[in-house]
Every structure is written in C-alpha cells, then in structure tokens.
Amino acid sequence: MTVGVERAAFFSRQERFDSVGSTNDVVAGWLADGTPEVCLALADEQTDGRGRAGRTWHAPRGAALLLSFGFRPAWIAPDRAWRIPAAVSLAMADAAEEAAGLPDRAIRLKWPNDLVVEAAESGGGVRKLGGVLSEGVDLAGSDPRLVVGIGLNADWAEVDFPEAIAASMTSLLAASNGRPLEPARLLDAFLLRVEPRIEALRAGWFDVADWTDRQVTTGREIRIDLPDGTTISDHGLGVDALSGGLVIGGGATGGGRTVTERTLLVGEVTRVRLGVGV
C-alpha cells in the first residue's frame, strides 16, 4: 500500500493486509530481517491480535483500525523509549477526534496504554476506545527494536459489541452518536500527525503537556492491579514525565493501609471513578 508520496521518506516499508495473525508479529519479523525504520503494517482483520498481559484483541473485519509500527530506536535513551508509544497514542487521539467530529480532549489516555472516553452513564467510569501494545527487543543493546501496535474501535456499531465487554468498551461510531466515519480519512489524519511527533522525539522533544493533560486518572479515585496480584485503591496525582510512571498517593491499599505519594512503573488501572470513591 502506498500511503502517500509526501511520507515516503518517513516510511521505509508499508503494506496493507486483508488478514494477518498479528500486525505486531509482521513488523517484528521485518525488523528481525533488517528492515530499517519506520515500517508500517496495516490489516483489515487480525486473527491472533493481542493486548497487554497476553489478552486477545478481536474486532469484526473493517470495524477497527489495526496497525503496527517498527522502530530502531537507537536515537532515544532506553528509559525514554516509552515516549514512542505515547507519541503514537497522542497522534491517534487527535486524529480520531477530528475524524469523528468529537470535541478537543474528548479522547483521554488511561495509563499505561489505553485510549478511552469518559462515560458517566456507566457508573462514573470510562469506556475503552483502543489500546497500544509495545514490544521491545534489546533496547539497551546494539540492535534495539521496538514494535508499537495500536487497535482503535472505529466503525463498530454499539449493538454489535460483544456482550461480555459491552459495558466497558466503545467505538468512534458510538462515541459520536452514529456520525458516519470514513476509515480512509481517519487513517490519513493519523499518519499526518504521527510523523511530526516521531520526528520531534528524534530531535529530543516530547509533548509533555499534551500527554499529561489527556490522562484520565489525574485527580480521580482509581484502582490499580499490580503484577504480584495485589490491588491498590488510591488517588491519581498525575504522571511522571521522565519515567512515564503513574503518580499516586493519599489513598489506601487493598488491606486498608494508607500510602504516601509514589510512582508506579508497572500495573494496570482497572477502575476510574469520575465522581467520589472507587
């Protein structure tokens, strides 16, 4: 697929597939074979898509924007590589708002990797619009490789949401109250925005203000599941611009113990209360 002459210098390789197992796997293979950055794979359908923690990612054919980028990020410090998927998320949020006719900041980020919209009618929480999955290899070594995949629910009617997750998900079609969505316009708007954000990172600049402002957890009561199986209920205080971590404090652990301010580098926010309490 040729995305556009004006972006030919940015993409070293770009292909669109009718159906693949995972666009992340496709791009990882390209990088392993020596393809330079930035490479891009898009698919109308994924048969083995995945999210964080080994979860699966399924969407009806043509109902979601599914793509992955491949980077060789020797140009950024390994502990700042998280800014690459963050920049991709910001570009998608901007593009999706434009394509769906949504207000500025209607699409928020939920640490560490989700794009969401606020949904007061669902108990004061948020609904997931899309997610980002980053997979790095040898980031501190001689051949660093990073795959950043993103899946965004686009032209997916609410009546067709899977029953098991319908209450926690949404799509651009649903969020815009049925406004007709042009997938080609969404893709073009996204690609137009992601290139300058990545080029800015290469030059040493990251849009901290936009990334911080879009965080839905800031100032809210949240619940975080940690990798060791414990759960924290706490106040979201913000995000750390250096480490990319989630800053929390003032709440209590699952056992009721009050905790002081700290920064989490791993974990998953599983609940956001837009009102009071968790």
Side-chain angles (χ1 to χ4, degrees), residues 205-216:
W205 183 82
F206 174 62
D207 195 346
V208 173
D210 194 13
W211 180 68
T212 301
D213 189 51
R214 281 194 185 268
Q215 299 297 325
V216 75

Side-chain angles (χ1 to χ4, degrees), residues 4 14 29 32 60 79 94 122 128 146 162 191 197 209 212 241 251 254 268 276 278:
Q14 48 199 307
D79 63 351
D94 283 340
S122 61
K128 184 173 178 177
L146 179 67
L191 295 179
R197 286 189 179 272
T212 301
E268 180 177 5
V276 179
V278 181

Side-chain angles (χ1 to χ4, degrees), residues 5 34 47 57 86 95 97 103-105 110 125 143-144 154 158 162 176 200 220 222 240-241 249 252 259 266 277:
V5 174
T47 59
W57 175 279
E97 286 170 351
D104 183 46
R105 297 297 189 273
K110 180 170 73 69
D143 183 25
E158 193 168 11
S176 64
R220 267 66 187 265
I222 58 177
D240 182 63
V259 295
V266 294

Side-chain angles (χ1 to χ4, degrees), residues 74-96:
W75 41 268
I76 193 169
D79 63 351
R80 300 290 186 272
W82 63 267
R83 291 182 170 181
I84 299 175
V88 170
S89 296
L90 291 172
M92 181 60 81
D94 283 340

Side-chain angles (χ1 to χ4, degrees), residues 147-227:
V147 177
V148 178
I150 186 165
L152 189 85
N153 300 328
D155 197 21
W156 193 343
E158 193 168 11
V159 295
D160 296 327
F161 291 171
E163 183 177 354
I165 58 174
S168 63
M169 68 174 286
T170 191
S171 66
L172 287 182
L173 185 67
S176 64
N177 295 316
R179 176 187 174 114
L181 182 68
E182 298 178 24
R185 181 183 176 191
L186 172 62
L187 175 60
D188 193 53
F190 171 58
L191 295 179
L192 283 170
R193 286 164 172 77
V194 77
E195 179 177 348
R197 286 189 179 272
I198 297 301
E199 294 294 2
L201 279 182
R202 285 184 177 141
W205 183 82
F206 174 62
D207 195 346
V208 173
D210 194 13
W211 180 68
T212 301
D213 189 51
R214 281 194 185 268
Q215 299 297 325
V216 75
T217 53
T218 302
R220 267 66 187 265
E221 300 286 341
I222 58 177
R223 185 172 65 213
I224 310 108
D225 290 349
L226 301 180

